Amino acid sequence: MLFDTHVHLNADQFEEDIDEVISRAMENDVEWMTVVGFDTPTIHKAMELAEKHDFIYAAVGWHPVDAIDMTEKELNWIEELAKHPKVVAIGEMGLDYHWDKSPKDVQQDVFRKQIQLAKRVQLPIVIHNRDATQDVVDILREENASEVGGIMHCYSGSLEIAQQCVDMNFMISLGGPVTFKNAKKPKEVAEGIDLNHLLIETDAPFLAPHPYRGKRNEPAYVKLVAEKIAEIKGISYEEVGNQTTQNAKKIFKL
């Protein structure tokens, strides 16, 4: 019933016990997952997992922190992988002004190139945004990203900006932070954005929800995200699960 739309099962943290992690997810109502690759090793691993498991799909793209390492070769490779039947999105891509490994102009250039690629292959895009909201929104508008739409991954911004993203054909994806006691904005977004435009995710192994905050996250915990959204909206857990899964299948064209 649940679709974890953004998980890094391709991370080293899952190397020892990935089969158990997948089993626990299925025991907690998770029927589908999208594993996100964001550089050469993680893309290879995402593809392996998607090919091995019927219920796992892959998103392939280049992370803004590593934008400086991306060449035409990687861009062409991602475009080639986009033809694979298990690849459902391009990303994660975007801007990250928190870390300074890649200069802002390089990040913006790589971001634009990946949006253009996504439009060529007609796949939705998965957006990573850290401390760069206005520039992300401006670039999405300038590049006419609404043509393919996509997902604002692990959204942490305001309700107002979330609504602007919805108007540009983007789904708003909420993860562990919506369960944190002090997380005002994600709760406002969960309440204010129509369920038809919401997705759920873990971003595992990162951002584990309460009561596992600070520990390794895993896809089984996406159930806690769905339960919290249900509580905030005053609706049933089943309704959140069913609708967010329908939303994911729609954006991923499944």
Side-chain angles (χ1 to χ4, degrees):
M1 186 174 80
L2 304 178
F3 199 135
D4 186 352
T5 59
H6 194 114
V7 58
H8 298 286
L9 286 178
N10 45 357
D12 294 343
Q13 288 93 324
F14 294 117
E15 213 161 23
E16 300 296 314
D17 62 344
I18 190 159
D19 293 336
E20 291 92 330
V21 167
I22 289 171
S23 293
R24 278 196 295 275
M26 296 169 93
E27 286 160 15
N28 283 277
D29 304 338
V30 181
E31 291 186 9
W32 299 273
M33 304 179 222
T34 297
V35 174
V36 180
F38 54 82
D39 60 14
T40 301
T42 60
I43 289 171
H44 278 300
K45 195 77 194 289
M47 295 304 298
E48 279 173 28
L49 287 162
E51 286 176 346
K52 184 178 177 185
H53 301 280
D54 287 349
F55 51 89
I56 291 179
Y57 296 88
V60 294
W62 210 260
H63 200 285
V65 170
D66 301 314
I68 200 160
D69 302 326
M70 189 188 214
T71 67
E72 286 300 313
K73 181 183 157 208
E74 283 81 29
L75 205 61
N76 293 336
W77 178 47
I78 289 167
E79 189 156 355
E80 194 57 37
L81 286 175
K83 298 171 188 168
H84 194 289
K86 294 299 288 285
V87 171
V88 293
I90 305 298
E92 59 189 285
M93 65 172 85
L95 301 174
D96 191 316
Y97 293 169
H98 180 77
W99 306 107
D100 59 4
K101 179 185 169 186
S102 296
K104 290 181 182 179
D105 60 329
V106 175
Q107 289 192 38
Q108 291 174 14
D109 180 54
V110 166
F111 185 20
R112 289 180 191 276
K113 283 177 176 169
Q114 290 186 89
I115 297 171
Q116 291 156 16
L117 185 163
K119 286 163 69 176
R120 287 196 298 275
V121 300
Q122 284 297 293
L123 284 176
I125 59 180
V126 179
I127 299 297
H128 172 100
N129 165 31
R130 191 163 184 190
D131 301 344
T133 301
Q134 196 56 55
D135 284 357
V136 166
V137 171
D138 289 347
I139 288 172
L140 291 175
R141 280 211 182 93
E142 288 161 17
E143 295 294 336
N144 195 24
S146 59
E147 188 186 308
V148 288
I151 300 169
M152 305 306 288
H153 140 64
C154 208
Y155 185 79
S156 61
S158 68
L159 177 57
E160 181 194 1
I161 296 286
Q163 196 56 62
Q164 289 178 35
C165 294
V166 167
D167 294 342
M168 285 194 285
N169 198 21
F170 278 78
M171 295 275 182
I172 306 299
S173 186
L174 296 173
V178 77
T179 70
F180 298 168
K181 288 192 174 77
N182 57 351
K184 190 168 162 236
K185 281 184 180 174
K187 288 184 173 69
E188 286 173 355
V189 168
E191 187 177 9
I193 294 293
D194 190 280
L195 189 58
N196 291 327
H197 302 296
L198 288 179
L199 299 174
I200 54 175
E201 64 167 271
T202 55
D203 200 23
F206 316 108
L207 292 173
H210 177 79
Y212 302 105
R213 191 173 181 178
K215 297 187 168 71
R216 183 187 75 167
N217 199 2
E218 58 176 81
Y221 300 164
V222 79
K223 186 174 187 177
L224 298 167
V225 176
E227 287 171 347
K228 190 65 183 180
I229 293 169
E231 180 192 317
I232 290 166
K233 283 192 169 295
I235 57 179
S236 71
Y237 157 72
E238 288 76 16
E239 189 177 347
V240 171
N242 288 330
Q243 188 59 52
T244 54
T245 292
Q246 281 181 40
N247 297 345
K249 288 182 168 182
K250 182 181 172 188
I251 196 81
F252 293 139
K253 304 186 184 79
L254 298 175

